Amino acid sequence: MADSTVMEKLVSLCKRRGFVFQSSEIYGGLGSVWDYGPLGVELKKNVKDRWWRAMVHARDDIEGLDAAILMHPRVWEASGHVAGFTDPLVDCRQCKNRFRGDDPRIKGTPGEPDAQCPVCGTRGSLTAPRLFNLMFKTFMGPVEEQAAVVYLRPETAQGIYVNYQNVLNASRQKIPFGIAQIGKAFRNEITPGNFIFRTREFEQMEMQFFVAPEAASEWFERWREWRMQWHKDLGLTPARLQWHQHGPTELAHYAKAAFDIQYEFPFGWQEIEGIHNRGDFDLTRHQEYSGKKLDYFDQAANRRYVPFIVETSAGADRVALTTLVDAYREETVEGETRVVLGFHPSIAPIKAAVLPLVKKDGMPEVADRLYHDLRAAFPCFYDDSGAIGRRYRRMDEAGTPFCVTVDGETLNDGQVTVRERDSMQQVRVAQAQVDAYIRERIR
Ligand code: GAP
């Protein structure tokens, strides 16, 4: 299957099965903004829940935070985003398409007569690159004037930095410690695309770990290892994960060192998470711009310092896309194509489907009771329409790991058939044991 075909099939499946819809579709859609449907919202929530459990609940050195999207405009001056969060923008005067100045498809130097538009092929039609700030602006209060400009945050990290002392004092943590946050971020990307890979509104899962300056490199290495393991534990194929180290020209203005975790998408190896050693850049800048001291007093060592920060920053939408791409497969079973989303059971939107074999002979009543019992423990789906084979296929396509079928025998022996999605193997399980059986396997 060609790589572009995989993405096309996935986008179509996501719409058909209610994972992801185009935003404002009935109005023709809004560029690179997407909505999550019933299955998609569960998938993304499961990804975020796993991240929160690993980063906050399973550790006693990380606290959670939920900072507002709107922040004081000076925050973005201090962070460097007003001056430096820009992309070079190039227009084609001929076909009116717009590109990033560093688009590898552009031949020649934009603005020069030799430069060739990658879409219409015209020579000399590309403008010289203009710097374009990626932050969305809006106005606070009734008057739309420069003094009222506020930004939609382009990253969640700054909400953590400005709250670092609040959290430190309220939680009585000591350095080394971290603050974790999941929240929306907005970037007016010039060339968004590849479905939910690069969008203008997205969610980040970021953690900032505050450490003594001399300990930063060591913590950086630890976080690199832990974060890669987290993606593997999500069920992603290890061979499709790799590290990419930022060279000196790639490093963001705040970073002393940076590694990306990349995944091999159908459109190439791409970043899904960044791990950065940000040094003392952020707190020093906020100290300078706010006039408030943000250093830390280490009582044991009797010394003051501005903490260094090791950041782990992943996109929830990008990780959700990664799980979809990694899970998608087509198989031929008895001469027919079976489409499967082979999610790790812990992130599957629906954990089990309950299916009465036929809609008579007391089977629907038993199935309905079982469905309500199981629904109290995990997300379930009840389906009594169509041939059983077709119902199994529908659940395979939704990524549901278990189908529980109530048949004629159930009424005699109190057992049901549990069919496992990947192996398609079926086992008989006592009705009273189904909950425990599935729970053990989705953990
Ligand atoms: N605080 C650091 C920071 O924001 P980044 O590399 O710009 O670093 C971190 O972004 C992660 O956020 C990326 O690895 C990606 O998963 C996600 N991300 C960034 N821009 C995105 C976009 N336009 N659409 C979807 N996810 C995005």
Side-chain angles (χ1 to χ4, degrees):
M1 219 184 324
D3 286 347
S4 58
T5 320
V6 177
M7 282 311 288
E8 274 166 32
K9 288 186 172 178
L10 195 62
V11 172
S12 145
L13 184 154
C14 280
K15 177 170 181 194
R16 195 171 67 248
R17 297 313 311 264
F19 281 93
V20 180
F21 308 124
Q22 197 181 8
S23 162
S24 320
E25 195 182 0
I26 59 169
Y27 288 96
L30 181 67
S32 288
V33 184
W34 299 88
D35 298 338
Y36 286 80
L39 295 189
V41 70
E42 293 291 336
L43 175 67
K44 186 154 79 139
K45 185 175 174 303
N46 291 340
V47 166
K48 291 187 287 183
D49 285 351
R50 278 189 68 111
W51 187 88
W52 196 259
R53 265 203 306 280
M55 301 299 272
V56 183
H57 291 173
R59 301 184 62 108
D60 50 22
D61 57 356
I62 298 186
E63 305 288 340
L65 181 75
D66 184 10
I69 288 170
L70 299 177
M71 301 183 73
H72 195 289
R74 290 277 284 166
V75 167
W76 306 109
E77 290 173 30
S79 69
H81 284 83
V82 170
F85 195 52
T86 51
D87 270 347
L89 177 74
V90 165
D91 286 306
C92 174
R93 294 189 201 91
Q94 184 65 30
C95 67
K96 310 292 177 216
N97 270 297
R98 190 156 265 191
F99 312 94
R100 282 172 59 113
D102 54 4
D103 190 322
R105 296 171 305 162
I106 296 177
K107 293 198 185 82
T109 312
E112 301 292 326
D114 68 315
Q116 193 178 5
C117 171
V119 172
C120 68
T122 311
R123 279 186 195 281
S125 64
L126 296 179
T127 61
R130 286 176 294 135
L131 285 181
F132 168 78
N133 195 298
L134 302 185
M135 281 197 293
F136 278 98
K137 278 183 195 167
T138 187
F139 299 94
M140 192 162 240
V143 185
E144 297 193 3
E145 59 186 7
Q146 187 55 32
V149 165
V150 288
Y151 300 98
L152 301 189
R153 66 181 177 200
E155 61 171 10
T156 60
Q158 302 300 325
I160 295 182
Y161 305 142
V162 300
N163 275 297
Y164 130 84
Q165 274 189 338
N166 286 336
V167 175
L168 191 64
N169 296 336
S171 63
R172 307 183 55 146
Q173 287 279 0
K174 288 191 175 59
I175 277 176
F177 86 106
I179 305 176
Q181 168 164 235
I182 298 177
K184 289 266 184 174
F186 302 82
R187 295 184 189 177
N188 201 359
E189 302 276 6
I190 300 172
T191 49
N194 285 323
F195 194 30
I196 52 171
F197 177 80
R198 192 184 307 283
T199 55
R200 295 194 165 105
E201 174 178 342
F202 55 98
E203 266 183 293
Q204 287 188 314
M205 308 184 287
E206 294 200 304
M207 192 282 303
Q208 314 294 325
F209 206 74
F210 301 83
V211 299
E214 65 281 4
S217 303
E218 198 180 315
W219 278 105
F220 182 63
E221 289 309 319
R222 274 188 205 142
W223 277 111
R224 261 173 23 87
E225 194 182 312
W226 289 333
R227 292 307 304 149
M228 180 61 100
Q229 191 57 45
W230 183 83
H231 289 279
K232 291 180 182 164
D233 291 346
L234 208 56
L236 300 182
T237 309
R240 298 179 78 177
L241 290 165
Q242 72 175 19
W243 286 109
H244 167 73
Q245 180 172 16
H246 285 213
T249 53
E250 278 175 284
L251 280 179
H253 58 278
Y254 51 75
K256 283 191 175 324
F259 277 84
D260 293 338
I261 296 177
Q262 292 187 330
Y263 179 80
E264 190 182 19
F265 288 97
F267 43 89
W269 286 96
Q270 297 286 345
E271 168 190 350
I272 54 173
E273 170 156 0
I275 292 102
H276 312 124
N277 177 352
R278 299 182 67 124
D280 60 0
F281 176 84
D282 305 282
L283 293 183
T284 305
R285 292 277 288 199
H286 284 303
Q287 245 185 191
E288 198 183 307
Y289 280 71
S290 68
K292 300 278 181 322
K293 282 231 151 291
L294 294 175
D295 59 359
Y296 173 79
F297 180 62
D298 181 342
Q299 270 182 328
N302 192 27
R303 64 165 182 148
R304 281 193 177 277
Y305 58 83
V306 175
F308 272 35
I309 293 170
V310 175
E311 167 182 66
T312 72
S313 175
D317 310 81
R318 225 173 251 191
V319 176
L321 175 64
T322 313
T323 63
L324 282 160
V325 168
D326 206 71
Y328 185 87
R329 62 175 196 268
E330 291 177 13
E331 296 168 356
T332 305
V333 178
E334 291 163 8
E336 279 188 29
T337 304
R338 167 173 109 113
V339 174
V340 188
L341 284 179
F343 296 125
H344 187 290
S346 72
I347 55 168
I350 303 169
K351 308 299 182 200
V354 182
L355 321 169
L357 188 61
V358 288
K359 274 197 259 185
K360 56 182 186 182
D361 301 335
M363 290 178 223
E365 290 76 8
V366 175
D368 190 59
R369 264 200 310 278
L370 183 59
Y371 165 64
H372 280 92
D373 287 350
L374 295 181
R375 208 172 67 167
F378 40 73
C380 285
F381 187 76
Y382 184 88
D383 189 2
D384 63 4
S385 62
I388 192 73
R390 286 182 64 83
R391 282 184 266 165
Y392 285 154
R393 294 288 179 271
R394 285 202 289 261
M395 284 298 116
D396 291 341
E397 210 183 43
T400 305
F402 299 100
C403 285
V404 182
T405 305
V406 172
D407 54 26
E409 277 304 292
T410 307
L411 306 175
N412 299 326
D413 65 7
Q415 293 188 342
V416 292
T417 300
V418 179
R419 176 227 190 226
E420 199 270 328
R421 177 195 62 207
D422 298 328
S423 64
M424 291 184 286
Q425 280 184 350
Q426 305 190 358
V427 289
R428 296 290 284 174
V429 177
Q431 264 184 80
Q433 298 302 319
V434 176
D435 178 354
Y437 180 91
I438 294 178
R439 245 195 247 235
E440 197 185 313
R441 285 159 180 78
I442 60 179
R443 208 180 286 142

